[in-house]
Amino acid sequence: MRKVRLEDIFEFIRNGAQIKQFDGAGIPITRIETISNLKIDTNRLGYADIFNDDYQEYYLQNGDLLMSHINSPAHLGKTAIVEQLNKKIIHGMNLLCLRANHQVIPKYIFYYFQTQPFKNALTKIMKKSVNQASISVSDLKKIEITISSYSEQSNSVAILEQLDYQISLRQQQLQTLAQLVKSRFYEMFGDPVLNEMDWEVCTLKEICIKLTDGTHSSPKSFSTGKYRYVTAKNIKPSGFDFSNITFVSEEVHRSIYARCNPEQGDVLYIKDGATTGIAMVNTLDEEFTLLSSVALLKQNRKLINGCFLTSVLNHDMMFSNIRRNMGGAAITRLTISKLNNIQIPLPPLALQNQFADFVAEVDKSQLACQKSLDELETLKKSLMQAYFG
C-alpha cells in the first residue's frame, strides 16, 4: 500500500468541448445531469449538431472517470466510469474527466471515490455559494489516496464487480415482482380511473367508517419512547420506514389517538407535501401517533379490502388523477373534503380478497429478495472498508 496524489495517477481534462447542444441529432455529448446513480445515463446526454470528427480530441475513452465538480453540495463529487463504449461520446464542459495512467485500474479508483474517506477529503476543499458548490481542480489534484499493488487492485475490482452484479440482479427481481402485482391488478380489475369493467363506484367517504388525519400541532418528540410519531417521511408504498422515527409522550399520544386511532389493517395515506398520494396498509399491531400530513382511512372491511384499496390509490393513473386535484401554495395538499370525494371502483369483496392473497405471496418473495439485497450491500460496505480504509 502506498499514498499518491490524484495528480500522480490521473490526467485531468477540465475543459470539455464548448458546443451548443440540441436534443436528438448529432454526436452525443455529456452534460451535468448525465451522471445518475453512479452511471452514465445515456437518456440524459445532449447532442452536438456536428457529423464529423472535428472534436475527436474530446471523445471519451473506456476507463475515463467523469466527476461532477460544479453542482449542488449533495451531488458534488459524484462520479461515473465510462465502460463498454461502443459509440462516440463527446466530453462536454460541465463535467471533469479523469484519465488514469498505468499505475491504477480506473474501476478501482471509481470504487475508492465512493468511500467516506474520499468524501471527507472533498468536503475540506468544497467551496459553497447560495445554490451551488464547486471543487477547485488544483485542490482536487493534491488529494492523497492510498492504493494497493496493481494485482491487489485487480482482485478487489473483480470481487466488487461480482457483488455489484448480484446486487443489480436482486434490484431487478424486486422490480419484476412489483410489476407482477401491477399486471395482476390490471388483469383482474382494469384501470381504476377508466373503469372499463364497469364496477360499482363509491366515494372514499362511502367506503370508510372513519376518514381523518393526524395532529395539526407539532408535539415535542424524542429519540426513544413507547409511542411512535409517524409522519409522511415514514410512509412508503412498500411499508413503514422507521430509519428516522421519533416518539411522543403518553400524554400527547392519548390526546391525539382519541380522535385519530390507526389500527392494524387500516390504510394510511400521505395527504400533504411532495409525496402526497402514497398509500400503505398499517401492519403494526400497536398504537402510534399520526401527524396531519398522513390521513387515516379506516375502510369498511365488509366492503373493501385494505390491500385492494392501497393498490387502487397507488395505481399510476389514480395517483396522477388525485394529484391534479391538489391545492395549496407553499405546500401542496389534499384536504379531507377532497379525500372524501375520491371515487373508488368496488369489485366483489371475494375478488378483492383473492387479489390480496396473491399480493401476500408476492410479498414473501419480495421480503426474501430484499433480505438478500440488504446482506449483499452490507457485505460490499464491509469489503470497501477493508480495501480502502
Side-chain angles (χ1 to χ4, degrees):
M1 303 284 283
R2 61 192 178 93
K3 283 191 173 183
V4 296
R5 287 184 169 186
L6 289 181
E7 63 184 351
D8 297 328
I9 56 175
F10 282 109
E11 174 189 0
F12 284 72
I13 307 172
R14 180 175 183 177
N15 297 316
Q18 299 186 36
I19 312 172
K20 188 173 182 180
Q21 296 185 23
F22 302 87
D23 289 324
I27 299 179
I29 181 170
T30 63
R31 41 191 176 187
I32 199 165
E33 62 267 33
T34 298
I35 297 178
S36 177
N37 296 322
L38 302 177
K39 298 179 184 295
I40 295 174
D41 188 342
T42 55
N43 293 320
R44 299 186 178 188
L45 289 167
Y47 288 86
D49 191 19
I50 56 174
F51 300 89
N52 53 48
D53 285 337
D54 288 350
Y55 289 86
Q56 60 182 329
E57 64 184 288
Y58 294 105
Y59 289 166
L60 292 173
Q61 300 176 14
N62 279 313
D64 284 347
L65 298 178
L66 297 179
M67 180 181 288
S68 176
H69 68 301
I70 302 174
N71 209 323
S72 65
H75 296 283
L76 198 67
K78 287 192 174 179
T79 307
I81 186 168
V82 178
E83 295 182 293
Q84 300 176 343
L85 188 64
N86 55 11
K87 62 180 179 181
K88 299 171 183 175
I89 298 180
I90 295 175
H91 167 219
M93 63 182 294
N94 293 318
L95 295 171
L96 178 65
C97 179
L98 287 74
R99 189 164 290 164
N101 62 26
H102 64 281
Q103 299 182 64
V104 292
I105 297 173
K107 192 67 173 281
Y108 178 83
I109 304 299
F110 168 72
Y111 283 120
Y112 193 100
F113 283 171
Q114 298 173 42
T115 65
Q116 196 58 49
F118 181 72
K119 292 176 183 177
N120 292 341
L122 281 185
T123 300
K124 293 177 181 178
I125 64 172
M126 184 186 301
K127 296 178 174 63
K128 294 183 181 179
S129 60
V130 177
N131 296 315
Q132 198 173 62
S134 62
I135 302 169
S136 164
V137 175
S138 59
D139 289 337
L140 184 63
K141 288 180 178 181
K142 293 180 174 61
I143 288 181
E144 286 190 338
I145 68 173
T146 303
I147 62 172
S148 56
S149 68
Y150 201 88
S151 61
E152 289 173 326
Q153 291 179 41
S154 179
N155 183 60
S156 298
V157 167
I159 293 172
L160 291 172
E161 282 183 328
Q162 180 59 29
L163 274 175
D164 277 345
Y165 174 71
Q166 294 296 330
I167 288 170
S168 177
L169 282 182
R170 300 299 182 279
Q171 291 169 337
Q172 290 172 21
Q173 288 168 354
L174 285 171
Q175 291 173 0
T176 299
L177 289 168
Q179 188 57 48
L180 183 62
V181 170
K182 289 183 178 181
S183 298
R184 187 58 178 269
F185 179 93
Y186 188 81
E187 174 189 317
M188 294 180 70
F189 308 111
D191 186 312
V193 175
L194 298 177
N195 192 21
E196 312 100 324
M197 296 188 179
D198 200 27
W199 303 114
E200 177 187 356
V201 174
C202 298
T203 64
L204 274 179
K205 183 177 182 179
E206 292 171 325
I207 61 174
C208 289
I209 58 176
K210 176 184 278 191
L211 201 165
T212 186
D213 55 8
T215 177
H216 288 249
S217 64
S218 297
K220 186 175 182 180
S221 59
F222 308 89
S223 58
T224 59
K226 181 178 179 181
Y227 299 103
R228 302 180 205 252
Y229 181 38
V230 174
T231 70
K233 68 178 183 292
N234 305 120
I235 306 295
K236 308 293 180 187
S238 56
F240 286 112
D241 176 3
F242 291 141
S243 57
N244 52 5
I245 193 67
T246 57
F247 300 81
V248 296
S249 67
E250 175 146 8
E251 180 183 5
V252 166
H253 168 71
R254 287 288 159 224
S255 65
I256 298 169
Y257 194 77
R259 180 182 67 85
C260 180
N261 59 324
E263 298 172 296
Q264 189 175 36
D266 291 344
V267 172
L268 305 178
Y269 185 83
I270 300 177
K271 58 178 276 290
D272 290 356
T275 54
T276 291
I278 292 176
M280 60 161 278
V281 176
N282 172 28
T283 54
L284 292 181
D285 187 18
E286 64 182 61
E287 294 183 8
F288 57 87
T289 295
L290 276 181
L291 183 64
S292 62
S293 57
V294 183
L296 169 63
L297 279 56
K298 198 175 283 290
Q299 75 277 9
N300 183 339
R301 302 186 190 193
K302 295 180 180 179
L303 293 177
I304 191 161
N305 182 290
C307 174
F308 171 77
L309 178 56
T310 58
S311 294
V312 170
L313 293 170
N314 288 328
H315 187 280
D316 292 342
M317 290 293 288
M318 180 66 76
F319 181 87
S320 299
N321 194 49
I322 292 173
R323 284 181 64 92
R324 279 196 293 270
N325 291 320
M326 291 172 66
I331 302 176
T332 49
R333 58 171 51 88
L334 283 166
T335 62
I336 293 297
S337 61
K338 285 184 177 179
L339 282 175
N340 277 323
N341 292 325
I342 290 174
Q343 295 192 323
I344 304 293
L346 199 64
L349 184 60
L351 198 61
Q352 298 178 41
N353 291 338
Q354 182 183 333
F355 172 73
D357 290 341
F358 174 80
V359 173
E361 289 301 313
V362 174
D363 282 347
K364 293 177 184 177
S365 298
Q366 287 179 317
L367 284 172
C369 191
Q370 186 64 54
K371 183 175 182 291
S372 176
L373 176 60
D374 293 342
E375 290 171 349
L376 287 167
E377 290 179 334
T378 298
L379 177 59
K380 180 182 175 181
K381 288 178 183 178
S382 176
L383 288 175
M384 288 187 62
Q385 176 68 24
Y387 296 152
F388 305 117

